[in-house]
Amino acid sequence: MFPPGFAWGASTSAYQIEGGWQADGKGPSIWDTFSHEKGKVFEDQNGDVACNSYELWEKDLECIQQLGLTHYRLSFSWARLLPDGTTRTINQKGVQYYNRVIDDLLACNVSPMVTLYHYDLPQALEDLGGWKSPGIATLFDSYAKFCFQTFGDRVKLWITINEPLVCATLGYEDGIHAPGLEERGIAAYLVGHNMLRAHAMAWHSYDSDYRATQKGAVSLALNSDWLEPLNPDCIEDVAATERDLIFTLGWFAWPVFVTGDYPEMMRAAIEHRSKKLGYIGPPRLPSFSKDDPTILGTADFFALNYYTSQKVKAGGDDEQTLCMKSDQDAEELIDPSWPICGVSWLAVVPYGLRKLLKYIKDTFNDPTVYITENGFSQMGPLQLEDVQRCEFFNSTILEVAKAIQEDGVKVRGYFVWSLMDNFEWSFGFSVRFGLFNVDFSDAKLSRTIYQLGQEYAKIISEHRNSGQTQ
Ligand code: GAL
């Protein structure tokens, strides 16, 4: 059902699990700053301690082994390795921590996949302009080279940036993620642009200086919902659906996999809106210059984070505001017949994943795909016997199998979000995505497997192949 060497993984990210926010010379990140501000996170919670994986790594490793994972996706905290964000100061304690994690994983026959950036920019770099400043690309590239140099003998799967769409929109348009800016219709495009430049620089560095010896692969993780027209017979809804996919997945995937530049439709829509509102200033969607790294071809595989699907309704062209939504001109809705799993945005639509995979195959030149995140959440009273999550998960895996067998999509791995319950950004600890429950009221932060975890372990043991690829 799944090809040999298929990666069965689980994902986490540094800020969401590590804690140790000031331990052993780590510098602060924008999420430390943001979560310490009042009113930003559910009940003013923060990731100061989180799952305390900085001190309890061996507990995480036990969970990983209990599941029988072939792969584990973690992220490095940039500010733990480089406290001021630059290679001028290297925090050896941070290097030791990640060396230990990587070595322990390999000793247990688990391959690490490492994300270099999962939302937690060093605060020192934010103070210099952060992702809005063009110079960030060179700083990210230096950080990436440092990581390839230090860990690349053992890490063979790299993700440069996790979900640039989410960083740009939630962090700079809606202000609900760090750094909490609401510069509508402008900053998100600039941030996305610098993220693409940063990603591409890092990919080129790997390609020219490390690939030959380290033989790994580098990509960026793109999130996308599957979208369908609310009324398939309405041409406006059909067009809005296409435009919406272009504005979300296409924004980043088009430059990397198709043309090296943003989709024409996106540029035209943004220019149209700017003109209509009499906006004066440089084009809101920046252009790549001849001094920028080539963007096309800078991904060795397609890394997809999928959670949900939505119906799209043409939004009408009458919104008189400068914001990304009005550039897009589409409204997204959840079909009332879809079950919701935990958080309000998570309508469970397993077939959406298969459709999205097929869309990726057809639109982005049939790439090798890793599903780097997919998950179902819980809120309210704890349910260790989470039968419904198990059901959703089984149907989703079946859709992945169909995408491989019937649609010929080259899916090479599937990673559950998340290994364990953790700090779910603005929802704090109120939303649980784990294969393991973490008891945040217990000083020991004990980890207990959910039925979902048991189910996943069973699936892995049925499918796990003896020969592992990278
Ligand atoms: C993703 C993100 C993860 C996790 C997940 C569940 O967008 O990469 O960090 O929070 O959503 O909401």
Side-chain angles (χ1 to χ4, degrees), residues 263-283:
E264 244 335 291
M265 180 195 274
M266 186 174 174
R267 191 174 291 286
I270 296 169
E271 275 173 14
H272 173 77
R273 169 74 40 183
S274 294
K275 223 184 252 161
K276 192 167 167 188
L277 297 185
Y279 168 82
I280 319 167

Side-chain angles (χ1 to χ4, degrees), residues 13 16 118-119 162-163 166 305 307 345 373 417 424-425 433:
S13 89
Q16 293 177 279
H118 201 123
Y119 305 174
N162 182 67
E163 302 190 354
V166 168
N305 294 354
Y307 287 88
W345 56 265
E373 284 180 33
W417 182 271
E424 177 54 24
W425 309 116
F433 271 97

Side-chain angles (χ1 to χ4, degrees), residues 10-14 16-17 72-75 115 118 416-420 422:
S11 298
T12 57
S13 89
Q16 293 177 279
I17 65 162
Y72 177 56
R73 174 174 176 238
L74 68 144
S75 84
T115 305
H118 201 123
V416 172
W417 182 271
S418 174
L419 176 66
M420 58 196 160
N422 57 47

Side-chain angles (χ1 to χ4, degrees), residues 395-409:
S395 341
T396 305
I397 299 250
L398 209 60
E399 294 295 329
V400 176
K402 284 190 213 157
I404 297 171
Q405 286 171 334
E406 293 173 34
D407 306 334
V409 186

Side-chain angles (χ1 to χ4, degrees), residues 99 125-126 147 155 197 240 298 303 306 315 324 326 345 349 377 387 421 439:
N99 268 334
L125 299 186
E126 178 64 23
C147 293
V155 176
R197 293 174 55 248
T298 57
Y306 170 81
M324 291 189 64
S326 43
W345 56 265
V349 193
S377 65
V387 181
D421 296 341
D439 183 353

Side-chain angles (χ1 to χ4, degrees), residues 226 228 306 309 311 338 349-356 399:
W226 172 244
E228 293 183 346
Y306 170 81
S309 294
K311 300 268 172 159
W338 289 335
V349 193
Y351 79 81
L353 177 53
R354 177 179 176 189
K355 296 220 168 182
L356 184 59
E399 294 295 329

